[in-house]
Amino acid sequence: MGEQPIFSTRAHVFQIDPSTKKNWVPTSKHAVTVSYFYDSTRNVYRIISLEGSKAIINSTITPNMTFTKTSQKFGQWADSRANTVYGLGFPSENHLLKFAEKFAEFKEAARLAKEQSHDKMELTSTPSQESATGELLSPVTPESINGTDDEDGGATPGTPQHTEPRPDPPTPTLPFSHSSTSINKHWEAELAALKGNNAKLTAALLESTANVKQWKQQLAAYQEEAERLHKRVTELECVSGQTAVIKAQKTDLNQTIEELQATLGAKEEELERLKAEMEVANEFQQQKESLTQKLQATEERNQNLEARLSALEQTVENTQQERETFRSHLRSLLQLLDGKIFELTELRDTLAKLIESS
C-alpha cells in the first residue's frame, strides 16, 4: 500500500445535520482515532477515521478547504465532495491546535501538488489538443473543399469517408472563343459538386457533433462509475491501511481493560474490607444500643433507689424526731419520778422517825 498514516489523534466525530444544516449529529459513540494519511502514488492527503470497520470520515484535503476553530476544544471543516461538514471535539485545546497546524501544513502540500500536476497536464495535453483540433477542422478547410488534400487527410476519425471521386480541374483545350462558355459551365459544375460535398461534409460534421455529445454523456457516466469505484477502493484502502492503527488501538484497549480489571479487583477488595468494617460497625452499633438500653434501665433503677433513699431518709428523720420527743418525755418522767422518789424518801424518813418516837 502506498498510503500510510502520518499523524493521529483522538476526538469525538460529528457531522452537520443534512436536513437542518445547523445541528451537529454525533457519528461516533466515543472518542475515536482520527488520522492524516498520505498516498505517495497519487500525491494525495486524506483525513480518515474508523469506528470498527465503518469509515465515519473519509475526506480528501483540497487547497480550498479551511479548518475553523469554533471553540477551545472544537473545530470543523467543509468537504464539498462528500457534501457535508465534519466536526471534531478534542480532549484539550493543545490537541485541537496540533490538528489545525497539521491541516494547514497538508493543505499547503496539497496545493503545491495540485499546481505541479496541473503544469504536467498542460504540458502533456497541449500537443494532443492541437492534433485533435486539426482533425476536427480538417473536413471544412479550404484545401478539402477545393479538392487539394490527400486521400486520407479529409476524413475525420469516427465519421464516414466519402468514396465519390472529386472532379478534376478543367484543361483548356478549345479555342479562346469557346473557352469562356466552357469554363463557366465547368465552374458551375464544379460549384455544384463543391456544394454537394459541402452539404455532405456538413452532415458528417453534425453527425460527428452528435457522436461527440453521446461520447461526452458516456464519458460522464464512466466518470461517475469510476468515482464510485474509486470511493469504494478508497474505503477498502482505509480498512486495510488502518490495520496497524486498529492493532495499536486494540493493544491500547487491552492494556486499558487490564488496568480497569486491576482497578476493579482493588475496588472489590476495598469493598470487601468496607463490608467487614460495616459488619463490625453494625456489631458495635448493636452493642451500643444494648448498652444504651441497659444504661437507661440502670438510670431508672437509680432513680427508683434515689426515691426510696429519700423516703428512708425522711423516715429516719421522722424516727429521730420521734426519739427526741420520746427522750424528752422520758426525761420529764424521770424528773417527775425522782421528785416522787424524793418525796417518798422523806415520807419514809418521817414515818421512820415517827415509829422511833412512838
Side-chain angles (χ1 to χ4, degrees), residues 32-325:
V32 296
T33 301
V34 182
S35 303
Y36 285 101
F37 276 75
Y38 175 64
D39 189 350
S40 58
T41 58
R42 293 182 296 172
N43 202 11
V44 172
Y45 294 87
R46 291 193 300 162
I47 302 174
I48 296 173
S49 179
L50 296 178
E51 187 175 34
S53 60
K54 177 184 178 183
I56 56 178
I57 297 180
N58 184 11
S59 178
T60 302
I61 299 177
T62 59
N64 58 349
M65 284 185 178
T66 301
F67 184 81
T68 305
K69 175 185 174 185
T70 57
S71 66
Q72 290 184 349
K73 297 181 181 180
F74 194 86
Q76 66 184 45
W77 77 95
D79 189 344
S80 58
R81 293 185 179 181
N83 194 22
T84 187
V85 179
Y86 293 104
L88 296 179
F90 295 90
S92 66
E93 187 176 5
N94 292 330
H95 289 80
L96 186 147
L97 294 176
K98 188 67 175 177
F99 187 89
E101 179 183 350
K102 293 294 183 181
F103 192 97
E105 177 183 347
F106 299 145
K107 172 185 173 181
E108 180 64 19
R111 185 185 65 80
L112 295 176
K114 183 177 180 181
E115 289 180 355
Q116 292 176 358
S117 62
H118 183 68
D119 294 340
K120 291 180 180 179
M121 288 178 63
E122 285 184 349
L123 291 175
T124 56
S125 62
T126 301
S128 61
Q129 289 177 356
E130 291 178 354
S131 60
T133 304
E135 290 175 356
L136 289 174
L137 295 178
S138 59
V140 293
T141 53
E143 288 79 8
S144 62
I145 294 176
N146 295 329
T148 57
D149 264 356
D150 293 336
E151 291 181 359
D152 297 331
T156 304
T159 59
Q161 295 183 357
H162 302 283
T163 58
E164 294 182 0
R166 290 174 294 183
D168 295 331
T171 304
T173 56
L174 298 174
F176 181 76
S177 59
H178 302 284
S179 61
S180 177
T181 303
S182 300
I183 289 173
N184 290 334
K185 290 181 180 180
H186 182 74
W187 279 113
E188 288 176 359
E190 180 71 18
L191 181 59
L194 290 176
K195 287 181 179 180
N197 290 334
N198 192 16
K200 292 178 181 179
L201 292 174
T202 303
L205 181 60
L206 293 175
E207 184 179 358
S208 300
T209 304
N211 291 332
V212 168
K213 290 182 180 180
Q214 184 179 2
W215 294 338
K216 285 183 179 180
Q217 293 176 356
Q218 294 178 355
L219 179 61
Y222 293 154
Q223 286 177 348
E224 291 179 359
E225 182 68 16
E227 184 68 21
R228 186 183 65 80
L229 293 175
H230 176 68
K231 288 183 179 179
R232 180 60 181 167
V233 170
T234 301
E235 292 179 358
L236 295 176
E237 288 179 353
C238 293
V239 175
S240 60
Q242 278 200 337
T243 303
V245 178
I246 293 172
K247 288 183 179 178
Q249 292 179 1
K250 184 178 179 181
T251 304
D252 294 339
L253 290 175
N254 290 333
Q255 293 178 355
T256 305
I257 290 172
E258 292 177 357
E259 293 175 356
L260 291 176
Q261 287 178 349
T263 305
L264 182 60
K267 294 295 183 183
E268 288 179 350
E269 293 178 357
E270 185 177 359
L271 182 61
E272 294 294 332
R273 181 178 61 80
L274 291 175
K275 286 182 179 179
E277 292 180 356
M278 184 63 70
E279 292 177 356
V280 174
N282 291 331
E283 292 179 358
F284 286 158
Q285 184 68 24
Q286 292 176 357
Q287 292 178 2
K288 179 182 176 182
E289 291 176 355
S290 177
L291 291 175
T292 302
Q293 293 176 357
K294 290 180 179 180
L295 181 61
Q296 290 177 355
T298 304
E299 287 180 351
E300 291 177 356
R301 291 177 61 188
N302 189 16
Q303 290 176 358
N304 294 329
L305 290 174
E306 286 180 353
R308 292 176 62 186
L309 181 61
S310 298
L312 290 173
E313 288 178 350
Q314 186 68 31
T315 304
V316 169
E317 185 177 356
N318 294 333
T319 304
Q320 288 179 353
Q321 289 179 357
E322 290 175 356
R323 283 182 181 181
E324 290 293 331
T325 304

